[in-house]
């Protein structure tokens, strides 16, 4: 976690994310890339080529520069190497592109979530980034104060396909000296006897060099509720999930537990792309 990307729209939730990113950067001798996306009315991927007036573009750009400069002077960023980028591009596409170009290790984003019709038809930029990013995404929902991760819940079915992303989970947990609470959620539609579930988890973990962990089996009506209720029951500091990155109709019909958690959880959520 040497290079952390923090997208900002200058909202309170974006600042919550920046404060957390600052703590992570300080603890890992890392740097922060502060990104503001200028998505002008009617723009395509190229703001100038879309017919927007240059004076309008310069007005918004200069305002963004002023706000970024004032952010750079905030006391909690003192002693951290911070660079700033202003990009003319659709927000979630720009975040993905900048993260790749700058070899970012972690994206930290604020989100106030979405619900109802807004969630179904619009989706948040944070949700889109979670769906698309190959880089771990840490989503912050509220003011965290001191950000520490003592209890890290990682929920999964512990199948073969997540082994690649699980190595990133272990690395992330080790950075925080966190205790990994590995949990499999049993639901009426996807039920496994306890001995079967225990064997799956034991066999999965045995192929990794991880020692600071416990395994849990939790029963609930659906997976999302199970994860949220289990995290609440142990007063977890962070929830982790692997995400498939579903898109289009596949996502619409099948849904994505990771994206739903980003919208509904009040605890921080970190996602790892399979």
């Amino acid at each position: 976690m040497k290079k952390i990307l923090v997208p900002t729209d200058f909202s309170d939730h974006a600042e919550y994310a920046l404060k957390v990113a600052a703590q992570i950067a300080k603890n890992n001798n890392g740097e922060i890339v502060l990104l503001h996306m200028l998505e002008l009315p009617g723009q395509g991927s190229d703001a100038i080529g879309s017919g927007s007036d240059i004076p309008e573009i310069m007005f918004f750009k200069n305002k963004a520069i002023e706000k970024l400069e004032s952010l750079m002077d905030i006391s909690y960023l003192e002693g951290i190497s911070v660079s700033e980028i202003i990009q003319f591009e659709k927000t979630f596409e720009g975040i993905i592109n900048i993260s790749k170009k700058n070899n970012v290790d972690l994206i930290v984003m604020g989100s106030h979530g979405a619900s109802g019709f807004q969630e179904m038809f619009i989706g948040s930029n944070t949700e889109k980034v979670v769906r698309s990013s190959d880089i771990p995404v840490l989503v912050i929902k509220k003011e965290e104060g001191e950000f520490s991760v003592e209890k890290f819940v990682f929920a999964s079915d512990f199948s073969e396909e997540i082994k690649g992303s699980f190595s990133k989970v272990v690395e992330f947990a080790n950075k925080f000296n966190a205790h990994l609470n590995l949990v499999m959620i049993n639901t009426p539609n996807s039920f496994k006897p306890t001995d079967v579930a225990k064997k799956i988890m034991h066999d999965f973990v045995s192929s990794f060099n991880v020692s600071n962990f416990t395994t849990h089996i939790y029963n609930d009506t659906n997976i999302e509720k199970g994860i949220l209720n289990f995290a609440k029951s142990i007063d977890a500091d962070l929830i982790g999930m692997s995400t498939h990155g579903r898109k289009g109709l596949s996502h619409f019909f099948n849904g994505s537990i990771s994206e739903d958690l980003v919208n509904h959880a009040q605890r921080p959520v970190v996602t790892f792309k399979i």
Side-chain angles (χ1 to χ4, degrees), residues 117-135:
F117 287 112
Q118 181 187 12
E119 179 182 353
M120 183 178 294
F121 293 111
I122 301 173
S124 65
N125 282 309
T126 305
E127 178 184 333
K128 293 173 184 175
V129 172
V130 163
R131 187 188 313 163
S132 305
S133 177
D134 293 326
I135 298 159

Side-chain angles (χ1 to χ4, degrees), residues 74-259:
I74 287 179
S75 58
Y76 57 76
L77 292 178
E78 187 174 345
I80 302 171
S81 175
V82 183
S83 56
E84 56 191 73
I85 297 174
I86 295 174
Q87 184 87 352
F88 292 95
E89 199 170 355
K90 288 185 178 180
T91 299
F92 81 95
E93 291 176 356
I95 292 169
I96 297 299
N97 291 336
I98 291 295
S99 68
K100 291 178 180 177
K101 288 178 183 177
N102 288 269
N103 296 315
V104 166
D105 303 307
L106 177 68
I107 300 172
V108 183
M109 296 186 70
S111 175
H112 44 69
S115 59
F117 287 112
Q118 181 187 12
E119 179 182 353
M120 183 178 294
F121 293 111
I122 301 173
S124 65
N125 282 309
T126 305
E127 178 184 333
K128 293 173 184 175
V129 172
V130 163
R131 187 188 313 163
S132 305
S133 177
D134 293 326
I135 298 159
V137 182
L138 174 60
V139 181
I140 304 299
K141 304 297 285 289
K142 58 185 177 63
E143 183 89 60
E144 287 296 324
E146 182 181 351
F147 184 73
S148 62
V149 185
E150 294 180 7
K151 300 175 185 177
F152 180 11
V153 168
F154 181 73
S156 176
D157 60 1
F158 301 97
S159 59
E160 286 290 318
E161 68 174 342
I162 74 153
K163 282 193 171 181
S165 61
F166 187 71
S167 60
K168 296 178 182 178
V169 175
V170 174
E171 181 183 354
F172 192 93
N174 290 341
K175 289 284 186 184
F176 289 94
N177 295 316
H179 181 83
L180 262 176
N181 290 273
L182 306 176
V183 61
M184 180 183 288
I185 306 300
N186 251 340
T187 69
N189 292 329
S190 179
F191 180 81
K192 293 181 179 66
T194 298
D195 60 336
V196 173
K198 283 183 176 180
K199 185 177 189 308
I200 290 171
M201 298 177 78
H202 175 269
D203 291 348
F204 180 91
V205 175
S206 64
S207 58
F208 292 89
N209 184 20
V210 53
S211 57
N212 189 14
F213 75 96
T214 50
T215 58
H216 309 265
I217 300 160
Y218 193 85
N219 301 323
D220 215 317
T221 54
N222 63 53
I223 293 174
E224 183 190 350
K225 284 183 179 179
I227 295 168
L228 293 174
N229 288 334
F230 174 74
K232 182 179 180 181
S233 73
I234 67 166
D235 194 21
D237 301 301
L238 179 67
I239 298 171
M241 286 283 297
S242 293
T243 178
H244 290 263
R246 294 190 182 99
K247 297 179 181 178
L249 289 176
S250 172
H251 166 69
F252 184 85
F253 288 113
N254 294 319
S256 167
I257 297 163
S258 299
E259 293 163 42

